Amino acid sequence: MAKIKDYDKLRQIIEKFSINGLIEDISPINNGIINTTYVATLNDGSKYLLQKINVNIFKEPYRLMKNIENVTDFIKHNDSETRDSLTVIKTKEGAPLYVDKDEFSHKEYYRVYNYITDAISYDKVESCDVAYKAGKAFGHFQKVLRNYPMELLEETIENFHNTQKRYSDFLDSYKKDAVGRKEKAYFEICEIMSRDDVCGIIVDLLNKKKIPYRVTHNDTKVNNVLVDKETKEPVAVIDLDTVMPGSGLYDYGDGIRSAASTALEDEKDLTKVSIDIEKFKSYTDGFLSEMAPYLKNQEVLNMVNSIRIITLELAMRFLTDYLNGDTYFKTEYEDHNLDRARNQIKLVKDIEEKMPEMEEYINSCYKKHKGSSKRKKNS
Ligand code: GN1
Ligand code: MG
């Protein structure tokens, strides 16, 4: 097998961690559009995940690791239902990160996780059953962490899901037009601007204390749920980089945005991009089967809004990055971020058409699960 470019360097880095055995292979894997991830295989067949943290985005990697260690420990002690969970493997010195330097003496931060075996993830949901299980997995995650001591949780990326702030950042980028792409994105810019009034809905509810802060995952894409290779039951929720205090509504909405979309985030053929109502129903059913007893009234009332708002937020983030000259998300070609923004705008429009139907389903599904949880309590 041909060795990857930085093989020797990466091997030396992995050897700094508390791992016994000889490394036989290191291969890059596609895992998100922010960090860089590798799978290391040892001579006894065991595997580990090595990740280089993108410090352009995660500016305080130690604070981020503190959140992850605390949350994964809490899950281990409070959740007996899920087969596995992420475990941070420390360095031989007992640190959660190993710090190296690149050729310009910039610090690079590496971490190692256990590799969860016999598990797979989906980039696109293939059936309602998978959507249901993804909803259940993220609902379960929120449920297990509902009593987590919030004061221990750090806000590692300020205003991460503050759609109002995202909107003003978008306006700034538009005004600056740093790389002269404004003209090309004219229609998309107008689509975003015409929806400025919805950006503040969830943020206002949080500020006015009408909805609670919860431990939120903040990146509830379907490929962040690992499911058992055979049974397809959820095994673990992964990618805890953005675990922070926030509104659970963003997690629910983002889950639908990802699990119920008929296309990948960068599909260019917009006729293929829409919300699959059956998958939306399945995800919602799975989510509410876990969380219905714990939701506040205003959370239930705004579930349908959250789907629209988080999708608009991501469209805005892709477009902002396009206008800034692609400084945040990894891109593979010139207009990648513009295509992603177009895709998400198409999804927003489809969501807007389907909102009444979705709202009706959320209400009936909520009643179903709330009712059954009361019956369980009384019986
Ligand atoms: C980024 O790299 P990944 O896939 O974990 C982003 C999310 C976006 C997502 C869109 C820290 O996540 O917020 O929803 O891309 N993460 C960060 O694919 O910005
Ligand atoms: Mg992520």
Side-chain angles (χ1 to χ4, degrees):
M1 198 184 299
K3 294 223 158 109
I4 54 169
K5 195 171 127 256
D6 291 327
Y7 188 90
D8 289 330
K9 173 179 166 167
L10 293 170
R11 186 176 48 74
Q12 283 168 21
I13 290 171
I14 297 176
E15 283 170 357
K16 304 286 183 204
F17 288 83
S18 297
I19 286 174
N20 297 319
L22 292 173
I23 290 149
E24 282 208 328
D25 181 54
I26 304 173
S27 308
I29 56 165
N30 231 347
N31 184 274
I33 51 179
I34 304 280
N35 293 321
T36 312
T37 310
Y38 306 88
V39 178
T41 309
L42 270 53
N43 58 346
D44 63 359
S46 61
K47 290 177 190 237
Y48 292 88
L49 276 191
L50 171 72
Q51 277 189 319
K52 184 168 126 192
I53 298 183
N54 183 334
V55 281
N56 266 339
I57 288 161
F58 300 112
K59 297 199 188 318
E60 297 186 76
Y62 284 101
R63 283 178 73 210
L64 173 153
M65 291 310 289
K66 181 177 163 241
N67 273 353
I68 296 180
E69 284 191 88
N70 283 344
V71 164
T72 50
D73 274 357
F74 188 91
I75 292 174
K76 267 179 217 132
H77 290 109
N78 292 278
D79 183 15
S80 51
E81 282 172 46
T82 317
R83 159 156 77 83
D84 222 325
S85 63
L86 275 189
T87 304
V88 176
I89 313 280
K90 300 264 178 77
T91 65
K92 292 192 169 114
E93 263 80 56
L97 292 165
Y98 175 74
V99 189
D100 204 57
K101 291 216 170 113
D102 69 8
E103 69 258 46
F104 309 106
S105 292
H106 296 140
K107 282 186 177 173
E108 297 182 322
Y109 294 82
Y110 290 87
R111 68 176 165 211
V112 170
Y113 283 126
N114 58 327
Y115 182 90
I116 297 177
T117 51
D118 300 322
I120 52 167
S121 71
Y122 296 94
D123 286 324
K124 199 160 127 345
V125 162
E126 60 179 28
S127 68
C128 285
D129 185 50
V130 174
Y132 177 85
K133 283 170 178 157
K136 197 167 168 64
F138 283 121
H140 186 70
F141 182 84
Q142 226 175 75
K143 181 173 97 176
V144 169
L145 289 162
R146 73 190 187 284
N147 295 323
Y148 181 85
M150 198 67 86
E151 65 281 1
L152 294 183
L153 209 59
E154 309 249 1
E155 190 181 12
T156 45
I157 303 183
E158 227 180 302
N159 291 315
F160 189 64
H161 282 322
N162 179 338
T163 316
Q164 194 69 67
K165 173 77 170 62
R166 295 282 185 187
Y167 184 71
S168 66
D169 290 348
F170 156 72
L171 284 184
D172 288 348
S173 305
Y174 163 72
K175 280 181 211 143
K176 228 174 170 182
D177 194 23
V179 288
R181 285 173 162 177
K182 196 162 79 172
E183 292 308 319
K184 198 158 182 194
Y186 179 81
F187 288 109
E188 290 69 31
I189 291 168
C190 296
E191 292 287 359
I192 303 284
M193 286 183 175
S194 67
R195 291 173 175 81
D196 64 335
D197 54 326
V198 300
C199 296
I201 296 178
I202 299 177
V203 184
D204 281 355
L205 289 167
L206 272 176
N207 289 342
K208 291 182 183 144
K209 300 196 168 44
K210 291 190 176 163
I211 55 172
Y213 275 94
R214 297 184 182 278
V215 178
T216 41
H217 181 280
N218 289 312
D219 192 9
T220 49
K221 288 199 289 200
V222 65
N223 60 8
N224 282 332
V225 179
L226 292 185
V227 298
D228 188 279
K229 212 161 65 180
E230 304 296 334
T231 65
K232 305 287 183 321
E233 285 304 319
V235 169
V237 163
I238 57 166
D239 184 7
L240 304 181
D241 287 336
T242 43
V243 167
M244 280 183 270
S247 165
L249 284 172
Y250 279 109
D251 274 3
Y252 165 73
D254 210 13
I256 298 288
R257 180 193 71 75
S258 161
S261 173
T262 52
L264 294 177
E265 272 172 21
D266 49 9
E267 172 61 58
K268 285 193 227 181
D269 180 353
L270 299 185
T271 61
K272 293 189 181 151
V273 183
S274 65
I275 285 286
D276 178 324
I277 278 289
E278 293 313 312
K279 287 182 186 147
F280 149 80
K281 287 182 181 170
S282 301
Y283 186 99
T284 302
D285 195 19
F287 175 80
L288 286 174
S289 72
E290 294 284 328
M291 274 304 285
Y294 311 105
L295 292 175
K296 300 280 175 237
N297 200 18
Q298 283 293 330
E299 288 182 299
V300 181
L301 290 176
N302 282 283
M303 280 169 73
V304 74
N305 277 335
S306 76
I307 306 168
R308 180 188 189 199
I309 293 170
I310 188 72
T311 311
L312 179 66
E313 182 185 291
L314 193 58
M316 213 165 357
R317 292 176 62 197
F318 285 143
L319 197 56
T320 305
D321 200 31
Y322 181 70
L323 294 171
N324 289 345
D326 309 321
T327 58
Y328 189 98
F329 296 108
K330 286 184 203 158
T331 51
E332 277 154 27
Y333 57 93
E334 168 80 14
D335 286 347
H336 202 163
N337 272 321
L338 181 59
D339 285 337
R340 288 170 173 151
R342 286 183 173 145
N343 174 305
Q344 294 298 299
I345 289 169
K346 169 69 202 297
L347 208 53
V348 169
K349 290 182 177 173
D350 194 57
I351 290 166
E352 286 166 350
E353 274 178 30
K354 294 173 178 160
M355 275 170 83
E357 190 183 353
M358 294 202 282
E359 177 145 46
E360 204 174 301
Y361 181 77
I362 291 170
N363 288 339
S364 67
C365 189
Y366 173 70
K367 279 188 197 127
K368 175 180 94 179
H369 289 294
K370 182 88 173 154
S372 71
S373 79
K374 264 192 202 141
R375 277 198 296 281
K376 261 187 236 152
K377 266 188 217 155
N378 296 339
S379 60

